[in-house]
Amino acid sequence: MEKTSLHGMWSSRMAFILAATGSAVGLGNIWRFPYLASDNGGGAFVLVYLACIFFVGLPVLIAEILIGRHGRRSPITTLASITRETGVSKGWTGIGWIGIVAGVLILSFYSVVGGWTLRYGWLYLAQLFGGAHITDPGAVFTSMLANPAELLFWHALFMGATVGVVALGVEKGLERAVRFLMPALFLTLLLLVLYGATTGHLGQAAAWLFRPDWSKVDAGVFVAAMGQAFFTLSLGMCAMMTYGAYLPGNVSIPRTVAIVAVCDTTVALMAGLAIFPIVIAFGISPEGGGPGLIFTSLPLAFEVMTGGIVYGLAFFALLFVAAWTSSISLLEPATAYLVERGRSRKGAAILMALLCWALGLLTVFSFNLLSHVRLLDRDLMGLIELVANDIMLPVGGLLIALFAGWVLKDNILREQLAGIPAWGFALWRWLLRVLCPLLVAAVLINALL
Ligand code: PHE
């Protein structure tokens, strides 16, 4: 097995941390986490979610990166070569296929919502220059959803931004983008939290996020928390495996992974602390906001608060950047696979982006032309989210845990995790072998019942 990837390599440990954090921090943290917390009882959800991150997310994240770095290829090729080398069933390559299909499905709706962030950013930019105010955010949101042409335009623009970076490759595209974008993202978020503090409601927001109301905890909370743990860490779909393939051999995986997970969790909590004080200050109940929470509640506040327009622009720019660095990692695994099958990087990236864009039509139309279509009590976008986020990611994660825990040879694990203390190794392996599969299976069964 050669020691470098044919797709290029991260130039340093820092570059990997920025890229992996860029993948992890996304709509999941700033759009999905606050409304999931608000729909599932605040603090109790947050605690269950943190437990899922720690006991399931972290061990699986280590496993994905380790597998990727050992194989140094796209997930499918990596798994195929490991099964050959280890002499186990080729069926395990299915993990790579599940990952690629899940990535395509997720990117199809992710880039539609990514398009919304561009559209809102544009609205606030226009306001700076005297454009129309958003006086009735609910109506603005509904009319955007009702207009397929408009949704398609922003969806295409977002996909264009994604493919532009992926086509340039690991060093010139991915690494260059995250080096600039991630620090900008952290800085903006910090400013927004500081602003949240000036509303005088930071304490209330923190209480809402951290004080558990255990009466709210039922099976649904566990399903949502586990799904969110996988989604937010970009797990189960081999994005992290692909990024691991470009990681220099001398970098400690556990230590690096811990930094990525801490950054990701911090951003989610900071997003809560930036959003809820404003929501509370303007008398909007943080409970039950749903997916429209930040698109309908926050603009209400931006409209009346001092500096609201600038704040709105900063907020949606932040959201766009977060979504962009994640969508790059959704497109990269399939692109890398096609490159290994002989296509040029540009051609592969464009082909996959077109496919995801076209699939995105289902999400776009689920709000208008096809809004009457309902399956399993969900609209089309909800259905894609259910299949990809709540089923495929946990199934992928479960298989990765079993593969790394039971199938991968000891010498591969020890080589990749050189330097980790014996108790750490034993704990990690026990979590992968026993606890993760049990917890994920229990949650999956619950989700399907
Ligand atoms: N982690 C990203 C987010 O929180 C979403 C994502 C999922 C990205 C899976 C890549 C792979 O928004």
Side-chain angles (χ1 to χ4, degrees), residues 389-425:
N389 296 5
D390 296 349
I391 300 178
M392 293 182 83
L393 294 189
V395 168
L398 177 70
L399 292 173
I400 289 167
L402 293 174
F403 185 70
W406 295 97
V407 178
L408 267 188
K409 291 248 170 66
D410 226 53
N411 58 345
I412 297 182
L413 301 180
R414 291 191 190 274
E415 182 194 330
Q416 290 299 332
L417 297 179
I420 158 176
W423 66 264
F425 185 82

Tab-separated table of all heavy atoms in Angstrom, residues 389-425:
chain	number	residue	atom	x	y	z
A	389	ASN	N	-30.678	10.553	6.383
A	389	ASN	CA	-30.122	10.920	7.700
A	389	ASN	C	-30.435	9.901	8.773
A	389	ASN	O	-29.572	9.536	9.559
A	389	ASN	CB	-30.733	12.227	8.219
A	389	ASN	CG	-30.405	13.397	7.381
A	389	ASN	OD1	-29.785	13.248	6.349
A	389	ASN	ND2	-30.830	14.563	7.808
A	390	ASP	N	-31.716	9.528	8.839
A	390	ASP	CA	-32.127	8.752	10.010
A	390	ASP	C	-31.923	7.255	9.810
A	390	ASP	O	-31.895	6.512	10.769
A	390	ASP	CB	-33.603	9.040	10.346
A	390	ASP	CG	-33.793	10.494	10.746
A	390	ASP	OD1	-32.776	11.168	10.951
A	390	ASP	OD2	-34.940	10.959	10.828
A	391	ILE	N	-31.821	6.806	8.563
A	391	ILE	CA	-31.611	5.367	8.353
A	391	ILE	C	-30.219	5.071	7.799
A	391	ILE	O	-29.443	4.335	8.395
A	391	ILE	CB	-32.706	4.783	7.431
A	391	ILE	CG1	-34.069	5.020	8.102
A	391	ILE	CG2	-32.463	3.277	7.203
A	391	ILE	CD1	-35.248	4.557	7.326
A	392	MET	N	-29.871	5.691	6.645
A	392	MET	CA	-28.594	5.311	6.020
A	392	MET	C	-27.379	5.700	6.864
A	392	MET	O	-26.421	4.927	6.959
A	392	MET	CB	-28.491	5.886	4.617
A	392	MET	CG	-29.510	5.252	3.687
A	392	MET	SD	-29.399	5.850	2.008
A	392	MET	CE	-28.090	4.837	1.378
A	393	LEU	N	-27.383	6.893	7.470
A	393	LEU	CA	-26.207	7.283	8.271
A	393	LEU	C	-26.010	6.356	9.469
A	393	LEU	O	-24.898	5.831	9.662
A	393	LEU	CB	-26.298	8.745	8.734
A	393	LEU	CG	-26.231	9.831	7.660
A	393	LEU	CD1	-26.116	11.212	8.301
A	393	LEU	CD2	-25.086	9.610	6.695
A	394	PRO	N	-27.062	6.092	10.262
A	394	PRO	CA	-26.839	5.145	11.371
A	394	PRO	C	-26.474	3.737	10.884
A	394	PRO	O	-25.607	3.101	11.491
A	394	PRO	CB	-28.184	5.137	12.112
A	394	PRO	CG	-28.811	6.441	11.774
A	394	PRO	CD	-28.361	6.773	10.387
A	395	VAL	N	-27.083	3.273	9.789
A	395	VAL	CA	-26.718	1.940	9.289
A	395	VAL	C	-25.253	1.942	8.851
A	395	VAL	O	-24.477	1.047	9.204
A	395	VAL	CB	-27.628	1.514	8.103
A	395	VAL	CG1	-27.061	0.285	7.412
A	395	VAL	CG2	-29.038	1.219	8.597
A	396	GLY	N	-24.858	2.978	8.120
A	396	GLY	CA	-23.460	3.090	7.697
A	396	GLY	C	-22.536	3.119	8.912
A	396	GLY	O	-21.529	2.416	8.971
A	397	GLY	N	-22.913	3.918	9.933
A	397	GLY	CA	-22.096	4.032	11.134
A	397	GLY	C	-21.995	2.706	11.876
A	397	GLY	O	-20.926	2.320	12.353
A	398	LEU	N	-23.122	1.997	11.933
A	398	LEU	CA	-23.149	0.693	12.605
A	398	LEU	C	-22.191	-0.273	11.914
A	398	LEU	O	-21.397	-0.967	12.555
A	398	LEU	CB	-24.583	0.161	12.556
A	398	LEU	CG	-24.859	-1.222	13.121
A	398	LEU	CD1	-24.707	-1.174	14.629
A	398	LEU	CD2	-26.267	-1.699	12.773
A	399	LEU	N	-22.254	-0.291	10.581
A	399	LEU	CA	-21.390	-1.208	9.829
A	399	LEU	C	-19.921	-0.819	9.980
A	399	LEU	O	-19.043	-1.684	10.101
A	399	LEU	CB	-21.781	-1.218	8.350
A	399	LEU	CG	-23.162	-1.843	8.065
A	399	LEU	CD1	-23.548	-1.671	6.598
A	399	LEU	CD2	-23.155	-3.324	8.438
A	400	ILE	N	-19.652	0.482	9.996
A	400	ILE	CA	-18.263	0.927	10.166
A	400	ILE	C	-17.741	0.493	11.538
A	400	ILE	O	-16.609	0.007	11.672
A	400	ILE	CB	-18.160	2.462	9.990
A	400	ILE	CG1	-18.379	2.815	8.517
A	400	ILE	CG2	-16.811	2.977	10.468
A	400	ILE	CD1	-18.622	4.282	8.254
A	401	ALA	N	-18.601	0.628	12.581
A	401	ALA	CA	-18.197	0.214	13.929
A	401	ALA	C	-17.893	-1.284	13.940
A	401	ALA	O	-16.860	-1.715	14.475
A	401	ALA	CB	-19.297	0.548	14.936
A	402	LEU	N	-18.773	-2.078	13.338
A	402	LEU	CA	-18.556	-3.523	13.336
A	402	LEU	C	-17.307	-3.883	12.538
A	402	LEU	O	-16.499	-4.728	12.948
A	402	LEU	CB	-19.773	-4.243	12.740
A	402	LEU	CG	-21.057	-4.159	13.581
A	402	LEU	CD1	-22.235	-4.777	12.846
A	402	LEU	CD2	-20.850	-4.846	14.936
A	403	PHE	N	-17.130	-3.217	11.406
A	403	PHE	CA	-15.992	-3.516	10.528
A	403	PHE	C	-14.671	-3.207	11.246
A	403	PHE	O	-13.759	-4.027	11.288
A	403	PHE	CB	-16.117	-2.712	9.233
A	403	PHE	CG	-15.059	-3.028	8.219
A	403	PHE	CD1	-15.047	-4.247	7.565
A	403	PHE	CD2	-14.075	-2.098	7.903
A	403	PHE	CE1	-14.076	-4.550	6.620
A	403	PHE	CE2	-13.097	-2.387	6.958
A	403	PHE	CZ	-13.099	-3.611	6.316
A	404	ALA	N	-14.606	-1.980	11.821
A	404	ALA	CA	-13.353	-1.604	12.486
A	404	ALA	C	-13.167	-2.394	13.781
A	404	ALA	O	-12.056	-2.753	14.153
A	404	ALA	CB	-13.341	-0.104	12.772
A	405	GLY	N	-14.267	-2.682	14.484
A	405	GLY	CA	-14.178	-3.355	15.779
A	405	GLY	C	-13.855	-4.840	15.663
A	405	GLY	O	-13.053	-5.363	16.425
A	406	TRP	N	-14.493	-5.505	14.710
A	406	TRP	CA	-14.378	-6.961	14.656
A	406	TRP	C	-13.579	-7.492	13.484
A	406	TRP	O	-13.016	-8.579	13.551
A	406	TRP	CB	-15.776	-7.601	14.619
A	406	TRP	CG	-16.566	-7.376	15.862
A	406	TRP	CD1	-17.512	-6.409	16.058
A	406	TRP	CD2	-16.488	-8.103	17.101
A	406	TRP	NE1	-18.028	-6.481	17.327
A	406	TRP	CE2	-17.417	-7.521	17.990
A	406	TRP	CE3	-15.715	-9.184	17.545
A	406	TRP	CZ2	-17.604	-7.980	19.297
A	406	TRP	CZ3	-15.907	-9.651	18.841
A	406	TRP	CH2	-16.840	-9.050	19.702
A	407	VAL	N	-13.574	-6.760	12.351
A	407	VAL	CA	-13.004	-7.336	11.132
A	407	VAL	C	-11.567	-6.880	10.867
A	407	VAL	O	-10.703	-7.686	10.540
A	407	VAL	CB	-13.899	-6.982	9.908
A	407	VAL	CG1	-13.297	-7.537	8.633
A	407	VAL	CG2	-15.311	-7.513	10.118
A	408	LEU	N	-11.320	-5.597	11.043
A	408	LEU	CA	-9.986	-5.077	10.729
A	408	LEU	C	-8.917	-5.757	11.590
A	408	LEU	O	-9.110	-5.949	12.789
A	408	LEU	CB	-9.936	-3.569	10.991
A	408	LEU	CG	-10.229	-2.639	9.828
A	408	LEU	CD1	-9.934	-1.208	10.244
A	408	LEU	CD2	-9.429	-2.998	8.596
A	409	LYS	N	-7.806	-6.072	10.958
A	409	LYS	CA	-6.728	-6.753	11.694
A	409	LYS	C	-6.113	-5.838	12.742
A	409	LYS	O	-5.973	-4.629	12.544
A	409	LYS	CB	-5.633	-7.170	10.704
A	409	LYS	CG	-6.065	-8.267	9.766
A	409	LYS	CD	-5.295	-9.549	10.084
A	409	LYS	CE	-5.840	-10.752	9.367
A	409	LYS	NZ	-5.685	-10.679	7.912
A	410	ASP	N	-5.736	-6.457	13.839
A	410	ASP	CA	-5.120	-5.741	14.945
A	410	ASP	C	-3.930	-4.873	14.535
A	410	ASP	O	-3.770	-3.755	14.995
A	410	ASP	CB	-4.641	-6.783	15.958
A	410	ASP	CG	-5.037	-6.389	17.352
A	410	ASP	OD1	-6.243	-6.131	17.549
A	410	ASP	OD2	-4.134	-6.300	18.206
A	411	ASN	N	-3.091	-5.434	13.632
A	411	ASN	CA	-1.880	-4.677	13.290
A	411	ASN	C	-2.211	-3.379	12.545
A	411	ASN	O	-1.526	-2.376	12.703
A	411	ASN	CB	-0.883	-5.550	12.508
A	411	ASN	CG	-1.496	-6.105	11.250
A	411	ASN	OD1	-2.723	-6.085	11.095
A	411	ASN	ND2	-0.678	-6.593	10.329
A	412	ILE	N	-3.293	-3.402	11.756
A	412	ILE	CA	-3.694	-2.173	11.064
A	412	ILE	C	-4.139	-1.139	12.091
A	412	ILE	O	-3.723	0.028	12.063
A	412	ILE	CB	-4.852	-2.456	10.075
A	412	ILE	CG1	-4.405	-3.425	8.981
A	412	ILE	CG2	-5.378	-1.150	9.480
A	412	ILE	CD1	-5.463	-3.711	7.938
A	413	LEU	N	-4.998	-1.575	13.028
A	413	LEU	CA	-5.494	-0.655	14.053
A	413	LEU	C	-4.330	-0.065	14.847
A	413	LEU	O	-4.268	1.139	15.078
A	413	LEU	CB	-6.428	-1.382	15.021
A	413	LEU	CG	-7.671	-2.037	14.420
A	413	LEU	CD1	-8.484	-2.719	15.518
A	413	LEU	CD2	-8.530	-0.996	13.717
A	414	ARG	N	-3.403	-0.936	15.257
A	414	ARG	CA	-2.311	-0.451	16.110
A	414	ARG	C	-1.364	0.469	15.353
A	414	ARG	O	-0.831	1.428	15.898
A	414	ARG	CB	-1.568	-1.628	16.737
A	414	ARG	CG	-2.458	-2.318	17.754
A	414	ARG	CD	-1.732	-3.320	18.607
A	414	ARG	NE	-2.706	-4.091	19.382
A	414	ARG	CZ	-3.204	-3.709	20.549
A	414	ARG	NH1	-2.822	-2.577	21.092
A	414	ARG	NH2	-4.098	-4.458	21.176
A	415	GLU	N	-1.173	0.165	14.073
A	415	GLU	CA	-0.306	1.039	13.275
A	415	GLU	C	-0.940	2.433	13.149
A	415	GLU	O	-0.273	3.449	13.317
A	415	GLU	CB	-0.133	0.420	11.884
A	415	GLU	CG	0.796	1.210	10.980
A	415	GLU	CD	0.662	0.769	9.525
A	415	GLU	OE1	0.343	-0.410	9.280
A	415	GLU	OE2	0.879	1.624	8.648
A	416	GLN	N	-2.248	2.468	12.887
A	416	GLN	CA	-2.922	3.752	12.700
A	416	GLN	C	-3.073	4.523	14.007
A	416	GLN	O	-3.177	5.742	14.000
A	416	GLN	CB	-4.301	3.545	12.062
A	416	GLN	CG	-4.266	3.092	10.609
A	416	GLN	CD	-3.584	4.114	9.721
A	416	GLN	OE1	-3.585	5.320	9.993
A	416	GLN	NE2	-2.977	3.649	8.641
A	417	LEU	N	-3.156	3.784	15.123
A	417	LEU	CA	-3.370	4.449	16.408
A	417	LEU	C	-2.111	4.424	17.269
A	417	LEU	O	-2.187	4.489	18.495
A	417	LEU	CB	-4.528	3.793	17.158
A	417	LEU	CG	-5.894	3.890	16.471
A	417	LEU	CD1	-6.964	3.191	17.288
A	417	LEU	CD2	-6.299	5.343	16.238
A	418	ALA	N	-0.953	4.345	16.617
A	418	ALA	CA	0.306	4.284	17.361
A	418	ALA	C	0.368	5.431	18.363
A	418	ALA	O	-0.025	6.556	18.064
A	418	ALA	CB	1.473	4.385	16.385
A	419	GLY	N	0.819	5.115	19.574
A	419	GLY	CA	0.995	6.170	20.567
A	419	GLY	C	-0.171	6.299	21.531
A	419	GLY	O	-0.061	6.958	22.559
A	420	ILE	N	-1.289	5.688	21.251
A	420	ILE	CA	-2.427	5.799	22.159
A	420	ILE	C	-2.231	4.809	23.313
A	420	ILE	O	-1.767	3.689	23.100
A	420	ILE	CB	-3.758	5.565	21.387
A	420	ILE	CG1	-4.937	5.127	22.274
A	420	ILE	CG2	-3.624	4.512	20.351
A	420	ILE	CD1	-6.243	5.020	21.470
A	421	PRO	N	-2.522	5.209	24.561
A	421	PRO	CA	-2.288	4.305	25.701
A	421	PRO	C	-3.158	3.049	25.609
A	421	PRO	O	-4.230	3.081	25.000
A	421	PRO	CB	-2.685	5.151	26.915
A	421	PRO	CG	-3.458	6.303	26.382
A	421	PRO	CD	-3.037	6.514	24.964
A	422	ALA	N	-2.685	1.969	26.253
A	422	ALA	CA	-3.378	0.682	26.134
A	422	ALA	C	-4.829	0.772	26.598
A	422	ALA	O	-5.735	0.220	25.963
A	422	ALA	CB	-2.632	-0.373	26.939
A	423	TRP	N	-5.081	1.511	27.697
A	423	TRP	CA	-6.468	1.585	28.193
A	423	TRP	C	-7.356	2.320	27.190
A	423	TRP	O	-8.514	1.981	26.998
A	423	TRP	CB	-6.534	2.235	29.580
A	423	TRP	CG	-6.137	3.693	29.579
A	423	TRP	CD1	-4.921	4.206	29.864
A	423	TRP	CD2	-6.974	4.817	29.252
A	423	TRP	NE1	-4.918	5.572	29.729
A	423	TRP	CE2	-6.172	5.978	29.368
A	423	TRP	CE3	-8.301	4.971	28.878
A	423	TRP	CZ2	-6.654	7.257	29.106
A	423	TRP	CZ3	-8.794	6.247	28.615
A	423	TRP	CH2	-7.968	7.376	28.730
A	424	GLY	N	-6.761	3.322	26.508
A	424	GLY	CA	-7.531	4.082	25.519
A	424	GLY	C	-7.925	3.194	24.353
A	424	GLY	O	-9.063	3.225	23.883
A	425	PHE	N	-6.976	2.392	23.925
A	425	PHE	CA	-7.231	1.485	22.803
A	425	PHE	C	-8.329	0.481	23.172
A	425	PHE	O	-9.271	0.248	22.417
A	425	PHE	CB	-5.940	0.750	22.428
A	425	PHE	CG	-6.091	-0.115	21.207
A	425	PHE	CD1	-6.006	0.426	19.933
A	425	PHE	CD2	-6.345	-1.482	21.340
A	425	PHE	CE1	-6.160	-0.367	18.800
A	425	PHE	CE2	-6.506	-2.274	20.214
A	425	PHE	CZ	-6.407	-1.722	18.943
